[in-house]
Amino acid sequence: MVKINDNFLKLPGNYLFSEIAKKVSIFEKSHKESRLIRLGIGDVTLPIAPAVIEAVHKAVDEMGRKEGFHGYAPDLGYEFLRNVIAEKDYKARNCQINADEIFISDGAKSNSGNIQEIFSIENKIAVCDPVYPVYVDTNVMAGRAGIYQKETERWSDVIYLPCREDNHFIPELPKEAPDLIYLCFPNNPTGSAITKNELQIWVNYANKTGAVIIYDAAYEAYITEEEIPHSIYECEGAQTCAIELKSFSKNAGFTGMRLGYTVIPKELVRGGVALHSLWARRHGTKYNGAPYIIQRAGEAVYTEKGEEQIKKQIAYYMRNANVILEGLKNIGFKVSGGVNAPYIWLKTPDQMTSWQFFDFLLEKANVVGTPGSGFGPGGEGYFRLTGFGTYENTVEAVERIKRSF
Ligand code: PLP
């Protein structure tokens, strides 16, 4: 008789976004006259840039001709894309990353979920708290997180790295030494960004202890401040302790097209083995590669036209984020983020829990946001709003929130 992987059963309750959808659906059924504004979305909303669409059309046409047809993609991705990434995302920033250290994939969600497979089940993980829930959930599924403690909403074998107001949402080094450290900056959900000096401390620590940092830079394109690194490889010594995850979703709108990449420097060796070779083996065995058409689309993101069009989209989302940030500050909310990320992180007023504030905003302002507690125990008492809506809706939502107090 087959046995299931009962680690899956340890995952508590519903996924955050299905719980939100359920509440919103109930509200809409009983308030048919109200127009909801969704300011909690983590998905982009602007259409794909014309330069990228042009590349897609061209690649589609190629695929329909005998001489332009492409079958299975190379395991690590097409060279034309890996070369341009190495050039523009790394060499241009003085990072010593070569094209053959880049693995093209279908996005950062699968990479951040799957990368733990090349590490032993005995490793202890550390995560920012709060953070994108995929890191913890996939370690739970793998059986690496221990037991869920309902009272504290924590996993017994996970080291939580508190990101609080008093540390500006940047974690300090932990007392207990982790093996795998997940860092996500600019951070989802807090919108906080780590400076190069602060990140260097983590790199030095990992090199000293033998830990590996998994650095999720999915929101890198939103960085506006000079002292914030765009890649962990801007820090000295990161080649020997860090894996970097990148996505085309939030910068270029590929959430529905699917494209991302992982960087594993060849110098990153643990237990006498280059992690690059393990991930290459996994890629070859378990992954079919992002489609040729999508990789050509990714290449177009780096063209002059592509870069120019995409910059405007990012500016659009960041203007929205600024509307929320300034609007809420003006009515006395404690808010952060919104400068190097499209996320605004606010402290709930009157000591409301995250879900109480969710209900309050839904009822009083007809605005949907995301309860902070969905991103880990450290998110309780906080709430996430995002700049991914339309400008008009964002302005109106802030007005409605003002009127609710
Ligand atoms: N990493 C972080 C921190 C995210 O917030 C998200 C999506 O919200 C992802 C990765 C997913 O990226 P992708 O669309 O490339 O799978």
Side-chain angles (χ1 to χ4, degrees):
M1 174 80 150
V2 73
K3 291 195 176 101
I4 59 160
N5 176 354
D6 54 13
N7 289 320
F8 280 60
L9 306 180
K10 295 181 192 166
L11 285 165
N14 267 339
Y15 184 59
L16 171 67
F17 291 99
S18 41
E19 189 61 30
I20 292 173
K22 203 164 87 190
K23 278 188 175 257
V24 168
S25 153
I26 293 169
F27 180 86
E28 279 182 320
K29 278 189 190 123
S30 54
H31 297 78
K32 292 215 162 62
E33 74 298 344
S34 47
R35 186 178 79 85
L36 286 184
I37 298 181
R38 288 175 166 76
L39 271 202
I41 38 177
D43 199 351
V44 291
T45 48
L46 293 173
I48 300 289
V52 175
I53 290 299
E54 210 176 287
V56 170
H57 283 299
K58 197 166 154 239
V60 169
D61 288 343
E62 262 187 79
M63 289 291 269
R65 288 195 299 267
K66 198 166 187 296
E67 63 283 5
F69 172 77
H70 287 77
Y72 288 122
D75 280 351
L76 272 58
Y78 284 100
E79 272 191 15
F80 61 78
L81 182 56
R82 293 159 71 210
N83 285 340
V84 74
I85 291 171
E87 211 43 57
K88 299 254 183 162
D89 287 349
Y90 295 104
K91 298 262 155 50
R93 294 187 178 123
N94 288 324
C95 303
Q96 303 313 309
I97 295 296
N98 296 315
D100 61 357
E101 294 171 312
I102 295 165
F103 297 75
I104 305 298
S105 74
D106 64 343
K109 186 184 201 176
S110 15
N111 292 339
S112 58
N114 294 332
I115 194 73
Q116 47 81 26
E117 285 184 25
I118 64 169
F119 297 99
S120 157
I121 202 77
E122 282 155 28
N123 285 308
K124 193 125 192 189
I125 70 155
V127 291
C128 298
D129 178 30
V131 83
Y132 182 52
V134 169
Y135 319 139
V136 170
D137 288 359
T138 50
N139 275 285
V140 171
M141 290 167 177
R144 206 180 276 112
I147 297 157
Y148 186 66
Q149 294 151 341
K150 221 171 167 190
E151 327 72 65
T152 59
E153 298 182 346
R154 282 159 197 267
W155 293 90
S156 59
D157 290 347
V158 172
I159 300 170
Y160 291 85
L161 307 169
C163 298
R164 309 167 308 256
E165 216 175 308
D166 63 14
N167 59 15
H168 310 289
F169 304 101
I170 302 298
E172 289 104 6
L173 296 177
K175 289 192 181 75
E176 187 188 353
D179 303 300
L180 262 185
I181 303 166
Y182 290 84
L183 295 180
C184 171
F185 291 105
N187 184 271
N188 176 15
T190 66
S192 62
I194 195 164
T195 64
K196 191 170 161 187
N197 289 343
E198 287 166 334
L199 188 56
Q200 187 67 57
I201 294 172
W202 282 93
V203 167
N204 296 349
Y205 174 79
N207 274 324
K208 199 169 99 193
T209 62
V212 167
I213 298 173
I214 297 168
Y215 192 71
D216 188 337
Y219 296 94
E220 167 274 315
Y222 292 87
I223 292 171
T224 60
E225 292 181 316
E226 192 66 16
E227 68 272 26
I228 308 299
H230 289 252
S231 161
I232 194 166
Y233 303 114
E234 289 178 43
C235 293
E236 210 173 303
Q239 275 87 347
T240 51
C241 70
I243 293 173
E244 182 159 283
L245 311 175
K246 288 287 296 282
S247 167
F248 284 71
S249 286
K250 312 293 171 159
N251 57 337
F254 278 43
T255 51
M257 305 234 290
R258 311 305 311 145
L259 191 66
Y261 66 85
T262 297
V263 179
I264 309 189
K266 292 198 173 159
E267 287 172 66
L268 177 48
V269 175
R270 290 294 180 271
V273 178
L275 300 187
H276 184 280
S277 68
L278 297 186
W279 190 242
R281 188 71 176 87
R282 190 204 179 275
H283 242 247
T285 305
K286 286 197 176 185
Y287 183 58
N288 267 330
Y292 173 74
I293 297 164
I294 303 299
Q295 295 198 41
R296 280 292 182 201
E299 185 189 27
V301 167
Y302 294 92
T303 58
E304 209 178 311
K305 259 199 208 157
E307 280 178 343
E308 192 185 304
Q309 292 162 355
I310 282 160
K311 230 183 233 166
K312 284 191 188 139
Q313 298 199 337
I314 290 172
Y316 180 85
Y317 295 135
M318 288 305 275
R319 179 167 73 139
N320 292 347
N322 191 258
V323 166
I324 304 170
L325 187 71
E326 294 306 322
L328 296 191
K329 250 190 218 165
N330 285 343
I331 41 173
F333 275 95
K334 271 199 169 159
V335 272
S336 55
V339 176
N340 295 297
Y343 293 134
I344 308 296
W345 191 236
L346 63 98
K347 201 161 173 54
T348 58
D350 307 326
Q351 305 202 328
M352 278 189 232
T353 65
S354 300
W355 278 107
Q356 279 168 344
F357 189 64
F358 175 91
D359 291 334
F360 175 88
L361 270 197
L362 186 62
E363 292 282 341
K364 298 272 193 258
N366 300 165
V367 168
V368 183
T370 314
S373 57
F375 298 95
E380 183 53 278
Y382 286 89
F383 204 73
R384 190 190 77 173
L385 296 173
T386 83
F388 286 131
T390 65
Y391 177 71
E392 295 71 24
N393 276 349
T394 306
V395 170
E396 186 180 336
V398 171
E399 281 308 312
R400 287 190 194 175
I401 296 172
K402 277 185 192 168
R403 287 198 298 271
S404 311
F405 284 91

